[in-house]
């Protein structure tokens, strides 16, 4: 049973940093529940507003429906009493409905609805897709504006009018005019979060467009730095944000951009170099090379943001 009604969840999430924990795998690439629980416990020991289990950074796209349900249930069991746990839904409409129902049954507080899989669609189709998911669950639903699911301001407004449990709009496009239209049309009825890759890069300008929060992949392995960055963004401290961008985020992007698909791999690489290894990534992604891992470790040390050893930082 969810602890937050949908609108209560929106209020909780909109004013804090959000993150998508990686999913731990064994060397054989099976779900490693023990390692996942340890990672979640560490993540929840800091002041994060919400954790999205089995999401993009959690390689939800590589999980079977049964695995996804198990990952979400494990997250709820481990940290659900400390921080809201949200899930993801994707694929066909029928699959997304099943994901939503499984997530609610597992105890998730909310849901991020990913774009429909491998098909083109227009606004009426998107409206029907989201409506089916919202109608299938009582937990809060957030749409993900990206790829083939670009929601017009009017479609977002129609969804908000129809479904009280439609609570959020996440963007991975960064089209300023589009975001302005969505926010102007819907205002405080929803909360808005940034979802561009390595969201810290865009966080300050998007704040001006109503996006009060974002999902931080960096939080997985340098949580203190990620939280400090978020606080600087919310204070609109341009000098502090720029200094952190130059010291770590922009050089990090240079490593991330060496190989397509490194956006997830580099997060697991970061955990490995800080001594919190949760295994590698599943194909079609590929792990960082040894040289890239060494460069990432050197960057973390040069930036002075290596977290405390596991035996110390895991204590609540």
């Amino acid at each position: 049973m969810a602890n937050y009604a949908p609108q209560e969840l929106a209020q909780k999430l909109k004013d804090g940093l959000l993150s998508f924990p990686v999913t731990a795998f064994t060397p054989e690439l099976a779900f490693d529940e023990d390692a996942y629980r340890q990672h979640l416990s560490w993540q929840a020991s800091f002041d994060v507003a919400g954790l999205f289990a089995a999401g993009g950074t959690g390689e939800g796209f590589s999980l079977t429906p049964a695995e996804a349900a198990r990952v979400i249930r494990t997250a709820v069991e481990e940290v659900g009493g400390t921080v809201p746990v949200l899930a993801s839904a994707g694929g066909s409409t029928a699959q997304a409905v099943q994901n939503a129902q499984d997530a609610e049954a597992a105890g998730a507080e909310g849901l991020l609805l990913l774009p429909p899989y491998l098909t083109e669609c227009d606004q009426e189709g998107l409206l029907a897709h989201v409506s089916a998911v919202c109608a299938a669950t009582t937990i809060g639903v957030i749409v993900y504006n990206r790829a083939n699911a670009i929601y017009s301001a009017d479609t977002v407004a129609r969804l908000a009018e129809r479904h009280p449990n439609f609570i959020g709009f996440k963007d991975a496009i960064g089209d300023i005019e589009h975001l302005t239209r969505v926010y102007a049309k819907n205002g405080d009825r929803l909360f808005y979060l940034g979802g561009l890759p390595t969201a810290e890069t865009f966080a300050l300008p998007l704040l001006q467009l109503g996006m009060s929060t974002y999902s931080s992949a960096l939080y997985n392995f340098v949580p203190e730095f990620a939280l400090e960055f978020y606080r600087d963004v919310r204070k609109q401290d341009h000098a502090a944000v720029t200094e952190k961008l130059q010291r770590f985020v922009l050089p990090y992007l240079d490593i991330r951009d060496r190989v397509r698909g490194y956006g997830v791999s580099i997060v697991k690489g970061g955990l490995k170099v800080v001594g919190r290894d949760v295994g590698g990534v599943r194909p079609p992604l590929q792990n960082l090379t040894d040289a890239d891992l060494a460069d990432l470790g050197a960057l973390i040390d040069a930036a002075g943001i290596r977290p405390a050893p596991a035996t110390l930082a895991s204590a609540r």
Side-chain angles (χ1 to χ4, degrees):
M1 182 66 66
N3 295 314
Y4 294 90
Q7 289 302 322
E8 293 173 338
L9 180 64
Q11 290 299 311
K12 169 70 174 175
L13 300 180
K14 75 181 185 67
D15 287 324
L17 185 65
L18 309 175
S19 190
F20 285 60
V22 296
T23 301
F25 294 135
T26 68
E28 296 75 32
L29 297 181
F31 174 49
D32 189 336
E33 182 173 328
D34 288 343
Y36 187 57
R37 285 181 180 274
Q38 291 174 21
H39 180 57
L40 287 167
S41 179
W42 184 53
Q43 296 282 276
S45 69
F46 300 95
D47 188 21
V48 67
L51 295 174
F52 289 72
T57 306
E59 295 176 79
F61 46 81
S62 77
L63 301 174
T64 67
E67 285 177 322
R70 183 183 171 197
V71 167
I72 295 159
R73 188 174 298 279
T74 300
V76 171
E77 290 174 353
E78 186 64 28
V79 301
T82 303
V83 61
V85 172
L86 295 91
S88 293
S92 67
T93 301
Q95 181 181 330
V97 164
Q98 186 63 59
N99 290 153
Q101 292 172 337
D102 289 345
E104 183 168 5
E109 301 280 2
L111 189 76
L112 177 67
L113 181 56
L114 304 174
Y117 175 68
L118 204 61
T119 184
E120 298 304 319
C121 45
D122 212 333
Q123 294 303 304
E124 290 301 319
L126 289 172
L127 181 73
H129 178 70
V130 180
S131 289
V133 174
C134 288
T137 183
T138 64
I139 60 178
V141 176
I142 302 161
V143 294
Y144 202 173
N145 189 70
R146 66 177 297 172
N148 59 326
I150 306 301
Y151 299 90
S152 72
D154 287 341
T155 298
V156 174
R158 291 167 70 188
L159 288 166
E161 182 178 4
R162 286 187 188 183
H163 304 287
N165 63 328
F166 173 51
I167 63 170
F169 180 88
K170 180 178 181 180
D171 178 68
I173 301 299
D175 182 328
I176 292 175
E177 180 179 335
H178 181 227
L179 294 176
T180 299
R181 290 181 182 275
V182 170
Y183 185 79
K185 183 81 173 181
N186 295 277
D188 292 337
R189 167 61 180 83
L190 303 173
F191 86 102
Y192 307 86
L193 57 151
L196 285 159
T198 311
E200 282 82 359
T201 315
F202 311 92
L204 192 56
L206 290 182
L207 180 67
Q208 307 301 316
L209 298 176
M211 293 196 161
S212 60
T213 186
Y214 54 87
S215 56
S216 172
L218 299 180
Y219 181 83
N220 271 275
F221 63 97
V222 284
E224 297 98 333
F225 175 83
L227 286 166
E228 288 176 5
F229 195 105
Y230 178 70
R231 287 191 290 268
D232 290 338
V233 168
R234 290 302 300 268
K235 291 186 296 184
Q236 300 189 54
D237 188 335
H238 289 250
V241 168
T242 300
E243 188 277 329
K244 288 179 174 63
L245 286 170
Q246 293 175 335
R247 174 159 50 99
F248 180 70
V249 177
L250 297 179
Y252 170 88
L253 299 185
D254 291 338
I255 300 173
R256 183 203 69 185
D257 292 343
R258 291 175 183 175
V259 173
R260 290 174 63 88
Y262 257 13
V264 176
S265 309
I266 195 171
V267 177
K268 283 193 164 177
L271 281 160
K272 185 172 184 177
V273 299
V274 301
R276 292 182 170 273
D277 194 357
V278 292
V281 294
R282 283 179 171 176
L285 301 182
Q286 61 193 78
N287 295 313
L288 266 64
T289 65
D290 290 342
D292 292 338
L293 278 173
D295 288 346
L296 180 58
L299 174 60
I300 290 170
D301 287 333
I305 59 174
R306 184 177 288 270
T311 54
L312 297 178
S314 61
R316 298 238 181 145

